[in-house]
Amino acid sequence: MQAQQIETRHREGLVIRQTFTSSPSSQASANALLSQNKLDLPSLEQLESRWMTVWSSTWRSKKSQIDVKRLLLQCKCGYNNKARRDATCQYTNGDTGKRHAPYDFTGCLAHADITYEKEPLSIRRIVGILEHNQECQLSVMTRMPSIPLHPHVIEVALAQLREGARHMRNLEMYHQMAYRQQSSTHPDQANFRYNIQRSDLYRIYTRHHQSQGIDIKKRPEDNVHGWMNPDSPHFSKEIADCIFHYSARATRGDRFEIFISTKDMEDAAWSYVHESQLILDGTFGVCSSRLLLWIAMGVDPQRKGIPVALFLFSAPSGTLATHAGYDIAVLTHILSTWKNWLSSRKSANNRIFAPCVAITDTDTKERGALIATWPSIILLLCRFHTLTIPTRLLAGTSYQGALVLIDTERRYLESLVNDEASKQCVKGGIAFITYLSNFWMQEDLWRSWSGYGRNQAASRLGIPIEGVLPTTNHLEAFNRVIKKKHLSYWQHSGYRLRFDVLIFHIVRHILPFVFAQVRQRDQESAWRVTRFAAAAGGGTLLPRKHASGDGLIQASEPLAWYEKDTRREAMAIGILQERRLLPIASGHPSELWATCATSLSNPIFQFHERYWLTYNIKGTGTCTCLDWLQRGGACKHLRAFRLHILHRVHIGQLSSVGDFPLSLLEAQDKRASLEQEMNPPTVPILLHIYPNGYTKPIPPPTMVPSAFPEIPPVKEMTDVPTLIDMELENAVHMGLNSDDEGSDSGDDSDQDRSLV
């Protein structure tokens, strides 16, 4: 009915239709017309105003390059809420048309279509019916009007959200009258409120996301597609450059897929994962949709986890458990896409991306996908998933030996099955043995958790076995940081983020922050080295330690001398008794060489951590342990090597090995006498290059084989006596008084621990 009446009025010309120029007189007429009908801005801001905005549009004039706005206002008495709901069928909870407008409906036809230039304000046109019907003029307010928030309240709230505030300061500022115009406005004339209500949060958060380029009024998939589509006005090059694979979900059977790798992650993948170790695992519950997040991670030289790729994809339609919404084919597709993308990049330098070792859990789908993508990869199980396996089996390197051990245990338990006192224990033991045999003793799986697999991984990587990652702790810690720290920072009252908001913050904020921390850590480490180099006399500052009787020792190249030190002599004997010292073939015509396993490594393993020792027959020696590199003198490893050499002299294997210097002065003299030799002795490794010493299973760069005939070493560990007899003790203490008290120099066992 109203629409027909309005259409008739417009057709018959019974409406106001006026245009205005920019001249002062014309604008004065326009403003007078608006004020007369209470359409001026001060009147519209009054809560008692009968006008309400129902539509607006803004554009830029091509001719004048000025923003123009068209505004349609309607009388609140002409708003028929029942007709609107009938037309849109928007009924909820039985509500068939409850009116919220402050004035009752009277069928008023008043409306105004106003077009104006925004800056400077200039009215262009006014069209409409400006007079109200009689019922409207006589009506009074019957319901509480909607009271808007003051603009300053919204400004402060948005500023707090940008700064990452968890709680808005609205209550505090409200009571302090700290908002703009709050204290100067009389309550009877106030047209705004200053307290944030729960119903305001949606609008505030919508404004907050819009300010960052996220329109949460749209569907998440529409936002993501807009960011990824170069033809879209919402295309985001920053986000698109970080996503190397995007697949929209067009049909019910499709998967939504977003694979993320920034430039920093790409470089880290080649530096820390290619031909090295990969940690892979998935998580869920990171967003409000049924999406899984898989994380690929490497470990840098400082043993810190570095994320190298993130894979976000949807679970299939109808999946009851999101965490199980994948299979081998899906994971193979993910890993193959990542592999092919990296291998095609300029950073590949004609290489095919391939990790050597992967650390996983017992998920067969994950392990199957890794094998399908990289057939030669070595799979290792996280140690936390093997806590039920006996230690003897974990350390074993022979599959047949492990089977024999289990069979022996089974037969022993079966022999006790008739013993009433232990019947229940025996029954449980047999059940456990059966569980081990059926689940853990498949040969491929056995290789993943046994010492065999770790030895194989260490051999492939060329590192000590201690360098092989035992767990997925790096990834689990990163997963927790992502959820508990980064995502919670952006969440609203703990609610999970939409996946478009999740992707936006991962690319724009979380990953840049993670790699900024990495760069900060590396730069600080480099600064620490260079900051005190000059004060240390060049190179790296050497920590000062007390040496017995010689005060503080600080030198750029440590020397070896064998002062009396009862404690270190006792530890040296322990090294020989534990068979940790192993003589090796020398690459120098005047030297003996040996290795010594670190205190926490197992010499049985081929690639265990070890120190490298030399002794020149003119009296000099070196060791790669941190204790000797920092303080000089003789560490327990050099003292053990000395015991071994003296024993070989004693039994006639060596004729002469020179004199061992007993003081720093003697060591300096011997070193000076060797400076003019054609074959100078092996030099120590540089502490600023190896700040933690050197324990790798391959010789350090200073121990390079030469073409000279070598002094025959002891070939078998059994040639080193397990007990030190009296004759050896007499040889050891040549020139020393065994009754003297030991020095107060420190034990270097702690240094061993710091290197493992």
Side-chain angles (χ1 to χ4, degrees):
M1 177 66 79
Q2 284 177 284
Q4 294 176 357
Q5 293 176 3
I6 291 174
E7 184 179 352
T8 300
R9 295 279 295 269
H10 275 270
R11 186 171 58 250
E12 295 176 355
L14 302 177
V15 297
I16 292 178
R17 187 183 300 272
Q18 296 185 24
T19 58
F20 305 90
T21 66
S22 58
S23 66
S25 59
S26 180
Q27 288 301 305
S29 298
N31 289 322
L33 179 60
L34 294 177
S35 298
Q36 180 183 352
N37 293 278
K38 297 185 178 181
L39 286 167
D40 57 308
L41 186 60
S43 298
L44 292 175
E45 288 182 347
Q46 296 300 313
L47 297 177
E48 299 86 349
S49 173
R50 295 179 182 272
W51 297 102
M52 67 177 183
T53 302
V54 294
W55 177 85
S56 66
S57 178
T58 303
W59 68 92
R60 178 172 285 271
S61 172
K62 293 182 179 180
K63 182 177 180 180
S64 62
Q65 295 298 309
I66 296 176
D67 288 336
V68 179
K69 185 171 184 178
R70 184 179 177 187
L71 186 66
L72 177 62
L73 299 116
Q74 179 185 7
C75 176
K76 295 176 182 177
C77 291
Y79 166 64
N80 188 345
N81 59 299
K82 292 185 179 181
R84 179 175 179 270
R85 294 212 175 191
D86 289 339
T88 59
C89 299
Q90 295 182 0
Y91 297 105
T92 57
N93 299 325
D95 182 5
T96 58
K98 182 179 179 181
R99 187 174 181 82
H100 298 286
Y103 296 96
D104 289 333
F105 173 68
T106 65
C108 183
L109 303 180
H111 66 278
D113 184 353
I114 305 172
T115 304
Y116 62 95
E117 296 177 357
K118 298 181 70 172
E119 291 183 4
L121 182 62
S122 177
I123 308 300
R124 283 189 173 186
R125 188 184 71 160
I126 300 176
V127 178
I129 302 173
L130 303 185
E131 69 274 8
H132 301 269
N133 63 16
Q134 186 176 3
E135 292 83 355
C136 176
Q137 296 176 21
L138 297 176
S139 65
V140 295
M141 187 178 291
T142 58
R143 278 168 289 275
M144 188 69 67
S146 176
I147 306 174
L149 270 176
H150 193 280
H152 190 219
V153 178
I154 300 176
E155 291 174 18
V156 172
L158 292 175
Q160 288 184 264
L161 289 175
R162 284 193 297 270
E163 296 169 0
R166 295 297 184 91
H167 302 284
M168 296 182 183
R169 298 177 53 230
N170 175 251
L171 187 62
E172 175 186 349
M173 295 184 67
Y174 177 85
H175 288 296
Q176 293 176 354
M177 307 284 284
Y179 287 112
R180 191 166 53 240
Q181 299 175 347
Q182 184 180 4
S183 59
S184 60
T185 302
H186 192 280
D188 294 341
Q189 300 174 349
N191 294 304
F192 297 97
R193 56 184 170 85
Y194 295 88
N195 62 310
I196 296 178
Q197 299 175 356
R198 189 177 185 85
S199 58
D200 299 318
L201 295 179
Y202 175 79
R203 287 188 291 272
I204 292 175
Y205 275 92
T206 299
R207 290 271 299 273
H208 170 63
H209 286 109
Q210 286 176 340
S211 68
Q212 301 191 41
I214 310 173
D215 188 355
I216 62 173
K217 293 182 179 180
K218 295 181 179 179
R219 297 186 305 171
E221 53 268 34
D222 292 338
N223 279 332
V224 174
H225 192 71
W227 299 336
M228 298 299 298
N229 183 6
D231 298 328
S232 169
H234 305 291
F235 173 70
S236 172
K237 188 176 186 301
E238 180 182 3
I239 295 177
D241 287 347
C242 297
I243 296 175
F244 65 90
H245 173 78
Y246 164 62
S247 176
R249 186 173 183 267
T251 64
R252 182 177 176 83
D254 292 342
R255 285 181 183 268
F256 173 83
E257 296 175 346
I258 285 281
F259 302 163
I260 300 172
S261 179
T262 65
K263 185 61 173 66
D264 288 327
M265 298 170 82
E266 179 185 345
D267 295 339
W270 286 110
S271 299
Y272 308 134
V273 177
H274 177 62
E275 297 183 348
S276 188
Q277 302 179 78
L278 167 69
I279 312 174
L280 182 69
D281 202 2
T283 185
F284 60 99
V286 293
C287 63
S288 58
S289 301
R290 299 168 67 85
L291 298 180
L292 294 100
L293 175 65
W294 280 70
I295 304 171
M297 177 169 282
V299 177
D300 68 6
Q302 298 188 39
R303 306 285 287 184
K304 303 294 184 181
I306 306 293
V308 295
L310 302 179
F311 312 102
L312 192 68
F313 58 95
S314 61
S317 300
T319 301
L320 297 180
T322 303
H323 65 274
Y326 62 93
D327 54 23
I328 292 179
V330 171
L331 295 183
T332 301
H333 161 67
I334 290 172
L335 295 176
S336 298
T337 302
W338 181 41
K339 169 189 172 182
N340 295 335
W341 176 77
L342 279 174
S343 302
S344 65
R345 299 284 287 176
K346 185 178 180 180
S347 59
N349 294 324
N350 298 319
R351 295 174 293 176
I352 302 298
F353 179 74
C356 287
V357 179
I359 318 298
T360 71
D361 55 22
T362 55
D363 187 351
T364 56
K365 294 177 285 188
E366 178 182 344
R367 296 167 63 83
L370 286 165
I371 290 293
T373 308
W374 296 288
S376 62
I377 197 169
I378 298 173
L379 299 182
L380 298 181
L381 274 181
C382 172
R383 280 292 173 88
F384 283 114
H385 294 273
T386 62
L387 295 178
T388 59
I389 301 176
T391 305
R392 293 175 64 188
L393 286 177
L394 287 172
T397 58
S398 169
Y399 181 63
Q400 294 300 324
L403 293 177
V404 169
L405 180 61
I406 289 177
D407 185 63
T408 302
E409 292 293 331
R410 182 191 297 276
R411 284 188 282 107
Y412 173 73
L413 290 172
E414 289 174 348
S415 68
L416 301 176
V417 72
N418 295 323
D419 186 351
E420 292 295 332
S422 58
K423 189 172 183 178
Q424 290 298 323
C425 293
V426 169
K427 183 178 178 181
I430 293 175
F432 179 70
I433 292 293
T434 302
Y435 158 73
L436 282 178
S437 300
N438 294 341
F439 183 79
W440 291 103
M441 291 308 296
Q442 303 173 40
E443 188 168 0
D444 288 342
L445 187 60
W446 171 83
R447 291 195 184 101
S448 298
W449 55 259
S450 66
Y452 175 90
R454 292 177 60 78
N455 275 338
Q456 186 186 25
S459 175
R460 177 83 65 85
L461 296 170
I463 62 174
I465 194 168
E466 291 82 2
V468 178
L469 297 176
T471 68
T472 58
N473 279 3
H474 294 88
L475 193 147
E476 299 295 345
F478 180 73
N479 182 15
R480 178 176 176 82
V481 169
I482 282 282
K483 290 184 177 180
K484 301 297 183 181
K485 177 181 178 182
H486 294 297
L487 295 187
S488 63
Y489 182 87
W490 302 103
Q491 287 173 344
H492 169 209
S493 301
Y495 289 99
R496 294 175 183 173
L497 302 175
R498 297 182 0 153
F499 69 81
D500 56 339
V501 179
L502 171 70
I503 293 169
F504 181 89
H505 288 309
I506 285 178
V507 171
R508 294 284 299 273
H509 299 113
I510 297 175
L511 291 176
F513 178 82
V514 168
F515 282 93
Q517 279 189 316
V518 173
R519 285 188 288 271
Q520 180 190 51
R521 184 192 67 210
D522 293 343
Q523 290 168 4
E524 183 177 358
S525 298
W527 172 77
R528 288 176 180 270
V529 171
T530 58
R531 169 63 178 83
F532 304 102
T540 304
L541 179 65
L542 303 179
R544 299 185 176 189
K545 291 187 177 183
H546 287 280
S548 57
D550 289 301
L552 295 176
I553 301 167
Q554 185 178 6
S556 58
E557 183 176 301
L559 299 175
W561 73 94
Y562 300 83
E563 62 186 355
K564 52 187 177 181
D565 191 333
T566 305
R567 291 182 59 194
R568 283 191 169 84
E569 293 289 351
M571 289 188 289
I573 293 174
I575 288 175
L576 295 178
Q577 291 175 333
E578 296 172 4
R579 303 178 184 270
R580 308 186 77 82
L581 185 80
L582 177 65
I584 61 173
S586 173
H588 192 284
S590 303
E591 290 184 353
L592 298 174
W593 287 2
T595 66
C596 184
T598 62
S599 60
L600 296 183
S601 65
N602 189 345
I604 296 176
F605 294 123
Q606 180 181 1
F607 293 95
H608 65 273
E609 289 189 336
R610 68 200 74 185
Y611 302 112
W612 296 79
L613 301 98
T614 69
Y615 174 73
N616 190 283
I617 59 175
K618 297 298 181 66
T620 63
T622 67
C623 180
T624 62
C625 76
L626 187 59
D627 177 55
W628 184 76
L629 292 171
Q630 289 180 334
R631 61 177 292 276
C635 59
K636 63 183 180 182
H637 315 107
L638 282 172
R639 293 177 188 274
F641 196 21
R642 179 183 181 230
L643 293 178
H644 167 75
I645 293 171
L646 291 176
H647 176 67
R648 290 178 63 175
V649 172
H650 179 71
I651 64 177
Q653 284 190 353
L654 294 174
S655 57
S656 175
V657 293
D659 297 329
F660 292 91
L662 302 180
S663 67
L664 174 61
L665 183 61
E666 289 184 30
Q668 292 172 338
D669 291 342
K670 289 183 178 294
R671 179 67 182 176
S673 66
L674 290 172
E675 290 181 354
Q676 304 302 322
E677 293 282 336
M678 291 184 59
N679 296 302
T682 299
V683 297
I685 62 173
L686 299 177
L687 189 60
H688 72 275
I689 297 179
Y690 303 100
N692 292 324
Y694 186 91
T695 60
K696 293 183 178 180
I698 56 176
T702 55
M703 297 176 66
V704 180
S706 68
F708 294 95
E710 60 191 41
I711 298 176
V714 176
K715 297 186 180 297
E716 298 293 336
M717 184 72 97
T718 54
D719 291 339
V720 180
T722 58
L723 296 175
I724 306 301
D725 56 21
M726 184 61 69
E727 293 181 356
L728 180 56
E729 288 187 1
N730 292 334
V732 168
H733 296 289
M734 287 188 307
L736 298 178
N737 185 354
S738 60
D739 294 331
D740 290 339
E741 290 294 322
S743 71
D744 61 352
S745 55
D747 181 0
D748 64 339
S749 59
D750 288 339
Q751 301 292 348
D752 286 340
R753 294 188 182 95
S754 68
L755 301 177
V756 176

